[in-house]
Amino acid sequence: MKRLSICFILLAMIVVMGCGDQQKSLTIVWAEWDPANYLQTLSEDFTAETGIAVDVVQIPWDKFQDKIFNSFTGKSDLYDIVIGDSQWLGRNSVGEHYIDLTEWINENIDVDSIYGPAMTAFAEYPKGSKEYWALPAQVDAAGYVYRKDLFEDPEEMTAFQEKYGYALAPPKTYAQLRDIAEFFTRPDQDLHGIATWYSKEYDGITMGFQQVMWSYGASYGDPDTFKVDGYINTDKAEEALKYYKDLLEFAPPDAPNYYWSETNDAYLAGKVAMAMNYFAFFPGVVSAETNPNYHDKSGYFIAPEGPDGHYISIGGQGMSISSYSKNQDIAKQYLKWFMQKSVQEKWAKLGGFTPHKEILQSDTFKTATPFNEAFAASFPYLRDFWAVPQYQELLQVCQTNWNEAITGIKTPKEALDTIAEKHEEIFEAMKENAEQ
């Protein structure tokens, strides 16, 4: 009997220890890219400090959204922390897939140390409500890389000056961007002026064109009334879309299919003088291993300003806690740890893009990579797509119609009028559902 009792005690201890070990682990899910690798490395410090193991699960970009949303539909507890796109906030907060972090953030996080637009884009829903469902994880923006060996070549500089009447340099306006793209377009040399985003996949052309649209003085609509007609289909919006379509003349033949991967490939292959991409993908440009020809011949600049403003598409993701997680307290502990200044400094050194104002503005950050200064300079101009629960429907309308405009299926005016009509239908249905 005594031996049996000891066995029961040992068995109980094993069960308790096993449960304890199970609780001392955290699963974070993110897309498959270098920042997720940086986060896994960074999280080793969290494990060393707390004894809590962290696994950063990576999902390929083309499957990322569907896999996460399917897990939410099934109320899966597979993921504790979800690093998702800013547009997901509305859907996942209203759908009760993310936990409300407002009170906890106000008590545990120095919000004033975080750059305001980052909290608005990646944490807050509804916008302006000061209700938080995330903390900024990876703040990103659309920017440009260019061939310094071309831009700084004396013969090219002279020829450009003679043709356009001003000095060849990274463009500050969309008019200059167009001139430079035209100047470097030489199909017989397999060289084109620009690679930018036109793809109808996910949010490709929307992220590329919306910053032009804003900078030409148009917008998606009134965020208070959700009125769209007369905002997104104005003469200024049409002028912007015509401009964006015309840039195709100075892009490689397959440019209508371009998003971040394709613009990156075109630049690495030496096919373009300038390429737009998210700053988070520029480490591959700097690397001699992945970019043997131009890693030391590349420069970077922020997206230009337009005739009626200066706005840039925000990229990046926020860090939210799944409502179905069984480790929510540990997840909060991780979020609090991640937002510490010392941790954010290391995050930036690894290659992550911090939302911490002091670090972002420091010379140490700006000189850490060849592109960090341009990234930091982009912050005052960042703007986002709709973050309402119906964002996916709104986005698909934009993707389809803008792609049809640049491929000639529709005129720019027809595409914009269709978007205005469809968006107002979506918002009207949203209002009706809210009243029921």
Side-chain angles (χ1 to χ4, degrees):
M1 179 65 70
K2 184 175 181 181
R3 183 176 298 172
L4 187 61
S5 299
I6 292 173
C7 288
F8 276 124
I9 292 171
L10 289 173
L11 180 61
M13 290 176 65
I14 291 171
V15 170
V16 170
M17 289 175 65
C19 291
D21 288 342
Q22 187 177 12
Q23 290 298 310
K24 288 199 172 185
S25 65
L26 194 67
T27 301
I28 302 173
V29 64
W30 204 358
E32 187 177 58
W33 63 334
D34 285 340
N37 296 327
Y38 306 153
L39 189 65
Q40 185 69 74
T41 299
L42 182 73
S43 297
E44 294 174 3
D45 291 348
F46 178 79
T47 301
E49 293 177 23
T50 65
I52 300 170
V54 177
D55 182 23
V56 180
V57 175
Q58 299 187 42
I59 300 173
W61 276 105
D62 59 345
K63 299 179 177 65
F64 182 43
Q65 178 177 264
D66 288 345
K67 193 161 186 177
I68 297 300
F69 286 1
N70 287 340
S71 76
F72 286 154
T73 300
K75 298 184 178 182
S76 171
D77 64 356
L78 185 62
Y79 310 123
D80 301 309
I81 293 175
V82 177
I83 303 181
D85 283 345
S86 56
Q87 296 99 321
W88 296 6
L89 280 177
R91 177 171 176 171
N92 291 332
S93 58
V94 172
E96 300 183 347
H97 303 307
Y98 290 161
I99 69 170
D100 187 340
L101 292 170
T102 307
E103 184 176 348
W104 179 83
I105 285 177
N106 289 333
E107 292 176 355
N108 292 275
I109 303 297
D110 181 10
V111 175
D112 290 339
S113 70
I114 302 172
Y115 199 79
M119 284 298 291
T120 299
F122 302 116
E124 186 182 59
Y125 183 80
K127 302 305 180 186
S129 67
K130 301 297 182 183
E131 295 180 20
Y132 301 124
W133 305 87
L135 283 169
Q138 171 79 351
V139 184
D140 204 354
Y144 284 83
V145 59
Y146 70 98
R147 291 266 305 274
K148 291 173 67 175
D149 59 316
L150 293 176
F151 276 62
E152 297 175 3
D153 181 278
E155 292 185 5
E156 300 285 8
M157 295 173 72
T158 299
F160 184 89
Q161 177 79 44
E162 291 177 352
K163 183 173 182 178
Y164 297 98
Y166 61 93
L168 176 60
K172 297 185 181 300
T173 68
Y174 279 114
Q176 292 173 357
L177 182 79
R178 188 256 179 223
D179 288 346
I180 296 170
E182 178 185 54
F183 178 73
F184 282 117
T185 296
R186 303 159 190 179
D188 58 327
Q189 300 176 25
D190 196 21
L191 177 65
H192 296 81
I194 191 167
T196 188
W197 301 334
Y198 289 106
S199 173
K200 62 182 178 181
E201 298 302 320
Y202 188 41
D203 60 356
I205 191 170
T206 299
M207 293 293 107
F209 172 64
Q210 67 181 7
Q211 58 190 4
V212 181
M213 176 184 73
W214 292 325
S215 299
Y216 268 69
S219 73
Y220 281 112
D222 187 323
D224 296 319
T225 65
F226 296 107
K227 180 174 175 55
V228 177
D229 189 29
Y231 289 84
I232 201 170
N233 56 340
T234 61
D235 290 343
K236 291 182 177 180
E238 185 178 355
E239 182 184 359
L241 190 50
K242 286 179 178 178
Y243 168 89
Y244 201 64
K245 178 183 178 180
D246 289 346
L247 285 181
L248 274 173
E249 184 180 348
F250 316 120
D254 55 344
N257 300 316
Y258 279 13
Y259 194 16
W260 60 267
S261 179
E262 291 79 13
T263 58
N264 184 65
D265 290 346
Y267 183 80
L268 298 184
K271 292 183 178 181
V272 293
M274 301 179 289
M276 185 167 70
N277 218 330
Y278 293 114
F279 281 94
F281 291 109
F282 286 149
V285 177
V286 173
S287 169
E289 182 178 349
T290 55
N291 186 19
N293 296 320
Y294 308 110
H295 69 278
D296 57 348
K297 301 179 180 68
S298 297
Y300 306 86
F301 62 91
I302 70 172
E305 63 180 309
D308 287 290
H310 195 183
Y311 298 97
I312 298 173
S313 292
I314 195 169
Q317 295 83 27
M319 189 177 286
S320 299
I321 298 176
S322 169
S323 299
Y324 314 110
S325 167
K326 295 179 181 178
N327 299 315
Q328 292 182 10
D329 288 340
I330 295 176
K332 288 177 180 177
Q333 184 180 352
Y334 183 90
L335 262 61
K336 186 174 182 178
W337 171 84
F338 180 75
M339 296 309 300
Q340 295 177 96
K341 182 182 177 182
S342 59
V343 176
Q344 285 294 300
E345 286 175 333
K346 185 165 184 178
W347 174 234
K349 288 180 181 178
L350 286 169
F353 285 144
T354 176
H356 196 286
K357 285 191 290 189
E358 187 178 340
I359 299 172
L360 188 68
Q361 296 165 358
S362 69
D363 289 337
T364 301
F365 176 79
K366 291 178 181 179
T367 58
T369 74
F371 49 82
N372 273 15
E373 185 171 4
F375 169 72
S378 301
F379 257 68
Y381 311 109
L382 298 182
R383 185 180 276 193
D384 202 6
F385 187 75
W386 292 107
V388 296
Q390 294 76 13
Y391 88 92
Q392 185 62 34
E393 299 169 58
L394 298 165
L395 178 63
Q396 190 55 52
V397 171
C398 289
Q399 285 292 105
T400 299
N401 283 277
W402 281 331
N403 185 266
E404 289 181 349
I406 64 101
T407 54
I409 297 174
K410 290 180 179 177
T411 67
K413 179 173 173 50
E414 288 171 341
L416 293 166
D417 284 341
T418 302
I419 292 172
E421 179 185 353
K422 297 295 184 183
H423 276 197
E424 291 210 335
E425 289 176 0
I426 293 169
F427 283 128
E428 189 60 36
M430 180 185 76
K431 292 176 186 177
E432 291 176 358
N433 291 334
E435 292 171 357
Q436 293 176 356

